[in-house]
Each structure stands twice: as C-alpha cells, then as structure tokens.
Amino acid sequence: MDKTVNQKAWFLVLPVFLVVAFSAVLPLMTVVNYSMQDTFGNNQFFWNGVGWFKELLDPSTDLGGRFLASLGRNLFFSLVILAIEVPLGIVVALSMPREGWTVAACLVILALPLLIPWNVVGTIWQIFGRPDIGLLGYVLNAAGFDYNYVSNDIDAWVTVIVMDVWHWTSLVALLCYAGLKSIPEAYYQAAQIDGASRWAVFKAIQLPKMNRVLLIAVLLRFMDSFMIYTEPFVVTGGGPGNSTTFVSIELVKIALGQFDLGKAAALSLVYNLIILIVCWIFYTVMTNAGVERKVQAASEPAVEPKPSVGLKPVPAFKPKEGVA
Amino acid sequence: MARIDLVDLAHSYAGNNAPQESFALKPVTMTWRQGGAYALLGPSGCGKTTLLNVISGIITPSRGKILFDDKDITPLSTQKRNIAQVFQFPVIYDTMTVGQNLAFPLKNRGVPKADIDRRVAEIGRLLDLEPYLNRKATRLTADAKQKISLGRGLVRNDVAAVLFDEPLTVIDPELKWQLRSKLKALHRELDLTMIYVTHDQTEALTFADTVVVMHDGRVVQSGTPAELFDKPAHTFVGYFIGSPGMNILPAEVRGREAKVGGHVIALNRAYDNLPSGAKIEIGVRPEFVEVVAPAPGLLTARIERIDDLGRIRFARVRVGDAKLAARAPGGFTSPDGSAGLKFDPSHVHVYADSLLVEGAA
C-alpha cells in the first residue's frame, strides 16, 4: 500500500500539543523539579536527588512517618466506605420503584446529596454534629452518649464516614439502578416461572447484570475517597490530633503550612502514582472482563452441528430491551 | 398435563372498567386439549402475547377464569401453575453452566440432588445439549440458548403446558427450521400441551395441529391449517393466511349468484337469508381464480404484473378499484394486458360484515 507522505500534517497536532504542554506537562515537570531540590527561601534551590523520596518511604523519618500513617488511614477509610456504600447502594437500588411518578421522586431525592458542594457538605455535618448547637450532637449527648467529634478519635471517624456515606451512597444506588433497569422483563418472568426465590433472582439475574456498573461504582468511589480532602478538613481539620488526617490533608499541611516545597512535591508525585496504578488495575480488570467474554464467544464454534456449509456461528447475542 | 379451559376470559391493561372496545383481549371462551399443539397466530398487537401471559400467570386477567383440568387457577401465581414458558429472547442465567441452568427450577423447588442430576442428564440428552452441560451458557448460540430456556421448562415433570412466545425470532433461518422440527418431535414424544405464539403463518401452520387466529383482541377462528385455508371464518383469516391472501370483493349476493360490478359469478350454495344492512363481500383464494383470455361471460380484469413463484404464477389484476390475485396457468400471456377471470364456484365464500355465511345446499 502506498501512503502519501506529508509531514506538514504534524502542524495540525501543534495546538493540542501546546495546550497539553502548558496545562499538564509543564506544571508536572515543575513538581518533578521541586521534588529533587531543597530550598531555604529566597528562591535559592539546592540539588537533593532522590533524598525526599527516600525519606518519604522511610517510616522512621518525620516525613515518612506522617505520609505512611496518613496513607494507612486513607486506605482504611476507603475500604470502610466501600464496604458500607456498595451493599447499601445495591439495597437502595433494589428497593426503588420501577415505574410510576415515584421513580422521578426517588431519583431527585437520591441526586440531591450529589449536587451539594463538598465544603457545604462538610459545613452541614460540622454544625450537625456539634454537641452544643448541632441537632445530631445535641440529641446524642442528651440520650446519654458522650459524643464529641472534636475530642474523640472514634467519634471523629464515625462522623467522617457517616458523612461520606450520606454524600455518596446515592451515586452507587443510581448506577445500580441503571444496571437493574437494563434487565429485560422476560428475565424476571422466566425466574418467576422457574420458581426462583427473591434471593435466587438477585444472585442469578440481578447481581450478574449489575457486575459492570458495580465495578465502575467501586472505581469511582475508591478514587474519590482516596483523594478526599474538603469534607473531613472542614469537619475535623484532620483532628483530633492527626487521627483523621488523610493524605491530601497531610500534603496541604506540608506544602502550604510548612512551605516544604521539595517534600510536598515528592509526596504529590508518589500520591499521583498510587492513584494512577490503582486506576490502571481497575481499567485492566474491567476491560479484560469484557474482552475475555468476547474472545471465548468467538473462539468457540457454534453449538449445533451445521447442516449446510457456509453457516457462520452466531456471535454473542445481545438481548434487546422491551422483550415480550 | 392438563386440559386448559378459558371461560369468558378478557383483559384490559386499563382495568376492568375500560370500554370493551379498548380491551387488549376481548372475551374468549375456548378449550385447549391436553397434548395438543396449538399456534396463536396474528399480527403484532392483536393480543396473542397478552393471552399467553394470562395463561402463564404473568398477567392476571381483568375478567373470566382459567381452568386447568376443571380446577380454577386464575388467582394462582406463575410458580404454582406448572407451566413452562419460552420467551422471544433467550433467557439465560449468565453465571451458570448449561447444566446449572437446567437444574435451576428443580433446585428452587427443593428437589433432591440425585433426582436433579438424573433429570438434567435426561433433558440434556433430549435436547442434544449433552456435550455442553458443563459449559457456561452465555457463550452459546441463540438457538442453543432457546433450547436451554425450553429445557428449564421440561426438566420439571409436572408441567401442564409449554408456552412459546415467538421463540424463533432471533434464530438464523436455517436453524429455525431445525429447531421447529425439534419442537415437533418433542411434542410427539412427550405428550405435552404446547401453545406457540407467532405472527409467521408458516411457523404456525407447520408447527400446530390447531391454529388459533387472533385479530384485534379477538379469536376469529380456530381450526386445522386446512380449515383455515379452505374455509376462513373471517375475512381477516382469509387475508392473513395464505400468500397471497384471499381476494375479498364487495358484491351483491342473491340466491346462487353474486354480482360484482354488474357481472354475475356463480355460487355453489344458496344465500337467501343474508342479514339486511350488512356489508356483503365474497372471498376467494387466488388459487381458485384463474386468469384466461378475455371472453364473454367472464369478469374482465387488467393485468398489472405477474409474480412467478417458481412452482406457481400469480397474476396481480385490477377489477375496477379492487385489486385481486389470480392463478396464471403455464403459458398464459396477455398482449394487451386484459384478461378474463374464471372462478371456481365451490371455493367462493360469502361474508356478511366480515363473518362467513354458510349457504344452504
């Protein structure tokens, strides 16, 4: 095949290249630059090589200790909210109505928390939980629970987790609901005829069909909770002590509080890298789940012995909506 | 195994108080014999799927009763009715193997494992699914999936009837024929009542021994394929069954004569008591009208085109405003486009307000 060679076409890429360079590559390289240097102010920089990175990953240093501790807290936080939000989201989606005006009402109510800005959510819960004037805090204390998220680690954690569940379970529920809605009615009718119990319907039909949206929900919720900053910062400011200081809060403390540009830069790079790796793992798992199915469908010959020549195997069949 | 009786059964999606004309299924009373192969035939929206879903219990009828062997099962849920249903699109439990799919209805009913295995093996053999029992069901072809759906119904040895809702829609034409023969064979082997919904007359006529034709929510005729062909009880049946459909012509009928556009066509029977004020039509299948060279005493028609179907040729002709189809004998040509129509009197039927009128001998 002859191709016309025209190198001028590269000029067409130039605008995009420039935009990406100024918006992403240059800032990132600045961070890389900072992460290799130390400064004592006055815009004077000294070469430090990979010193900050070594320190960052060594728990015995101050920087490493803080980073690894906050990373641990952050991972624990993500796991806890996933363990709550995913099953809860599924349950909410399952109990939502399937038709009628109540559907719209449910969708609006569910979408409301998602529309509230992060720091407003934080402020709402900060006030809600105060033992003196907050409804939640006051009622809990009046009921005999010694609840105070400012002084008690566990109370602070519970508040932050409940707040995240309140804010984001809707997202999981809406995604699951979309997955559920895409199941053709015939599946439920067939299951009914097969005498399936509610649990069997869930296991045999609903869960498998929600598989993909659930993966997306887990990915979104993990990334978001792993990068969480505003809400816990507004509510607890990372306290009491450091007990709710997550990675991003720690990062801001180092970068803007102490103005340790080198340390902060190294931390952001590692933080970024972790997020990229997790993203990549999810992406691979998700695309592989799809690819695997397709490959197997294509490699396995059609089931029936074919009576005539030239009959192609039927490719994976996609049920249409609105069956029956 | 059961005889199914429908007693004054009707259904409206808008509720029982909706005007009768809007009912998706208008009142019907009929009996489905145990072991019969039935086809519910009709165009889209004629109510056939509604009727099927009423029988399977997915829909509770607004009116009337369904009896299985004289037992009223109208209020019973789908599970308790012992019916099996195969849907238009294959329903497969994705995460399960073919064998697990087949075992699912038995497992749900708490049948002992040994019995399940025995039944699954048996049905797998019956449906030629044996080699695939341990494979994931998602990766099979559409026809194999339909067989699994059917198999899930057959594993239960208590099924009263198997209902099919256009089960061959998504199957390749070549395999359609195979699967249909398989269904027929199963029907002979298992002595099951089978009800098959379709809008494809070939499917209906080849599968069923009784075809029930539905039109606009009503059962217009139920009979053997031959009856539907020879003696359509309703002009719709004449038009819908057969390809091309029956010719329907407005006519004036008196005694043994029908007058079409001033021309007289002889009838085999006498029609003296036709209801007054009714719309009178005659119907005759294209197979029993012949185009010949124009001659006095024959209805003249203009030939529009001649369709050669290989085995038989049909001329599309026009008489006044009416369009007709007629058999064109081998070697027939018409240089000037005009022809005479020769009717076979024994196959000309008379319809009053679309309903067949039996004449006196």
Side-chain angles (χ1 to χ4, degrees):
Chain A
M1 273 243 291
D2 284 328
K3 267 193 200 161
T4 320
V5 179
N6 187 349
Q7 304 293 4
K8 280 183 204 129
W10 288 107
F11 284 109
L12 297 176
V13 188
L14 199 63
V16 174
F17 179 77
L18 284 176
V19 169
V20 171
F22 278 97
S23 66
V25 180
L26 290 182
L28 187 68
M29 288 322 290
T30 315
V31 175
V32 172
N33 195 14
Y34 281 147
S35 73
M36 302 285 184
Q37 308 198 46
D38 195 0
T39 179
F40 299 109
N42 292 334
N43 220 11
Q44 279 188 304
F45 288 89
F46 308 92
W47 177 249
N48 191 23
V50 292
W52 296 131
F53 291 95
K54 274 188 186 153
E55 216 173 288
L56 194 66
L57 300 175
D58 179 358
S60 60
T61 63
D62 171 59
L63 178 64
R66 282 164 67 184
F67 168 64
L68 293 172
S70 63
L71 183 66
R73 280 192 288 269
N74 216 151
L75 286 172
F76 179 69
F77 175 72
S78 292
L79 287 181
V80 171
I81 63 110
L82 278 180
I84 298 174
E85 285 173 18
V86 171
L88 190 61
I90 294 175
V91 170
V92 170
L94 285 174
S95 38
M96 272 174 72
R98 316 202 95 240
E99 51 195 355
W101 64 271
T102 42
V103 174
C106 279
L107 290 179
V108 169
I109 292 170
L110 277 182
L112 276 179
L114 302 176
L115 300 176
I116 302 176
W118 284 258
N119 51 356
V120 175
V121 172
T123 313
I124 291 173
W125 281 83
Q126 204 262 346
I127 297 171
F128 191 43
R130 279 173 65 163
D132 51 350
I133 57 165
L135 183 62
L136 176 72
Y138 186 81
V139 168
L140 280 178
N141 278 293
F145 297 97
D146 184 18
Y147 166 83
N148 188 343
Y149 64 79
V150 183
S151 60
N152 185 307
D153 291 359
I154 293 173
D155 291 353
W157 265 89
V158 168
T159 311
V160 172
I161 285 168
V162 170
M163 173 173 62
D164 198 81
V165 169
W166 177 85
H167 195 182
W168 291 112
T169 303
S170 295
L171 180 75
V172 183
L174 289 177
L175 282 170
C176 289
Y177 186 66
L180 284 175
K181 285 281 269 190
S182 70
I183 303 174
E185 197 51 39
Y187 277 79
Y188 295 111
Q189 295 173 345
Q192 213 184 343
I193 289 168
D194 289 339
S197 60
R198 186 70 198 79
W199 174 242
V201 168
F202 176 70
K203 247 179 47 183
I205 299 174
Q206 292 172 321
L207 199 55
K209 297 274 176 204
M210 278 195 293
N211 231 340
R212 311 215 65 188
V213 284
L214 273 180
L215 261 169
I216 292 171
V218 169
L219 173 66
L220 285 177
R221 282 316 300 134
F222 178 80
M223 295 331 304
D224 254 1
S225 63
F226 194 67
M227 298 188 286
I228 195 166
Y229 173 78
T230 318
E231 296 150 285
F233 183 76
V234 172
V235 177
T236 65
N242 274 333
S243 62
T244 55
T245 303
F246 300 123
V247 181
S248 58
I249 297 179
E250 198 68 84
L251 174 63
V252 172
K253 274 191 197 168
I254 295 171
L256 302 179
Q258 304 163 215
F259 224 72
D260 271 333
L261 290 185
K263 290 179 182 178
L267 200 160
S268 3
L269 284 179
V270 173
Y271 192 21
N272 201 359
L273 208 62
I274 295 173
I275 289 172
L276 278 179
I277 289 171
V278 175
C279 261
W280 177 76
I281 292 172
F282 268 109
Y283 181 78
T284 322
V285 168
M286 259 158 48
T287 40
N288 270 8
V291 166
E292 191 189 357
R293 204 168 294 165
K294 255 181 237 154
V295 166
Q296 271 154 345
S299 66
E300 282 184 28
V303 169
E304 282 300 275
K306 292 296 157 62
S308 68
V309 223
L311 255 185
K312 272 177 270 149
V314 182
F317 168 74
K318 281 202 199 86
K320 231 168 50 179
E321 267 198 76
V323 176
Chain B
M1 312 282 158
R3 191 184 77 241
I4 302 173
D5 287 293
L6 311 180
V7 184
D8 195 28
L9 193 73
H11 183 71
S12 165
Y13 290 100
N16 197 14
N17 295 325
Q20 174 128 359
E21 269 318 296
S22 74
F23 270 51
L25 178 66
K26 282 154 193 141
V28 55
T29 299
M30 64 187 303
T31 299
W32 312 75
R33 173 165 55 69
Q34 143 65 18
Y38 291 92
L40 269 175
L41 178 64
S44 302
C46 71
K48 51 194 191 319
T49 297
T50 305
L51 178 53
L52 196 74
N53 287 344
V54 165
I55 296 175
S56 66
I58 289 167
I59 296 176
T60 310
S62 328
R63 221 180 268 178
K65 281 189 291 190
I66 312 163
L67 312 177
F68 280 14
D69 280 336
D70 299 321
K71 195 173 139 248
D72 186 358
I73 52 104
T74 322
L76 290 191
S77 68
T78 305
Q79 281 109 308
K80 301 204 177 108
R81 286 195 186 187
N82 297 333
I83 44 100
Q85 187 163 357
V86 178
F87 295 90
Q88 193 170 7
F89 298 94
V91 173
I92 293 299
Y93 303 115
D94 295 344
T95 48
M96 303 184 193
T97 63
V98 174
Q100 286 166 333
N101 256 283
L102 293 178
F104 190 63
L106 299 180
K107 237 175 92 187
N108 290 329
R109 285 170 172 79
V111 176
K113 177 130 186 9
D115 289 351
I116 295 183
D117 291 345
R118 193 175 41 77
R119 271 310 272 178
V120 167
E122 209 176 308
I123 295 302
R125 197 161 48 244
L126 203 61
L127 293 172
D128 311 323
L129 287 171
E130 248 178 338
Y132 313 104
L133 285 180
N134 291 320
R135 292 229 311 236
K136 274 261 191 286
T138 23
R139 298 175 209 146
L140 301 180
T141 50
D143 62 309
K145 286 182 179 175
Q146 277 304 43
K147 278 198 202 165
I148 297 170
S149 314
L150 174 60
R152 280 205 313 268
L154 298 181
V155 280
R156 291 150 47 195
N157 43 20
D158 58 352
V159 276
V162 187
L163 313 181
F164 299 89
D165 189 358
E166 312 210 12
L168 302 183
T169 313
V170 295
I171 314 280
D172 277 359
E174 195 87 21
L175 297 174
K176 255 185 198 177
W177 179 82
Q178 267 191 33
L179 198 52
R180 205 163 53 212
S181 326
K182 187 83 211 169
L183 290 183
K184 261 237 73 122
L186 281 174
H187 178 249
R188 276 194 294 270
E189 208 165 317
L190 298 176
D191 188 34
L192 282 170
T193 310
M194 291 191 174
I195 303 175
Y196 189 109
V197 162
T198 178
H199 58 251
D200 180 336
Q201 52 165 312
T202 326
E203 256 175 44
L205 298 178
T206 50
F207 171 80
D209 34 60
T210 307
V211 178
V212 177
V213 184
M214 292 191 70
H215 174 51
D216 196 21
R218 243 181 266 280
V219 172
V220 286
Q221 186 171 10
S222 133
T224 63
E227 280 166 6
L228 295 184
F229 187 82
D230 291 336
K231 241 184 173 185
H234 189 281
T235 47
F236 174 78
V237 178
Y239 172 79
F240 193 70
I241 299 212
S243 174
M246 190 184 234
N247 298 309
I248 312 283
L249 284 171
E252 281 171 49
V253 176
R254 198 162 295 129
R256 289 176 187 271
E257 282 180 350
K259 241 187 196 167
V260 176
H263 175 86
V264 171
I265 296 169
L267 300 172
N268 240 12
R269 292 169 157 259
Y271 299 86
D272 288 317
N273 298 321
L274 288 176
S276 59
K279 185 176 68 165
I280 306 294
E281 288 161 314
I282 58 165
V284 57
R285 293 220 171 262
E287 284 81 356
F288 304 113
V289 187
E290 208 178 338
V291 283
V292 292
L298 291 182
L299 185 61
T300 20
R302 293 214 59 77
I303 296 202
E304 295 200 315
R305 61 169 204 276
I306 292 183
D307 295 340
D308 196 336
L309 304 185
R311 219 160 18 84
I312 190 165
R313 292 198 304 163
F314 282 111
R316 304 294 184 151
V317 303
R318 196 180 260 282
V319 178
D321 282 339
K323 282 184 170 177
L324 275 75
R327 197 160 51 84
F332 171 83
T333 51
S334 172
D336 63 348
S338 70
L341 296 181
K342 220 161 110 186
F343 291 83
D344 177 349
S346 60
H347 286 98
V348 180
H349 302 290
V350 176
Y351 293 89
D353 278 341
S354 303
L355 293 174
L356 181 69
V357 181
E358 293 280 356

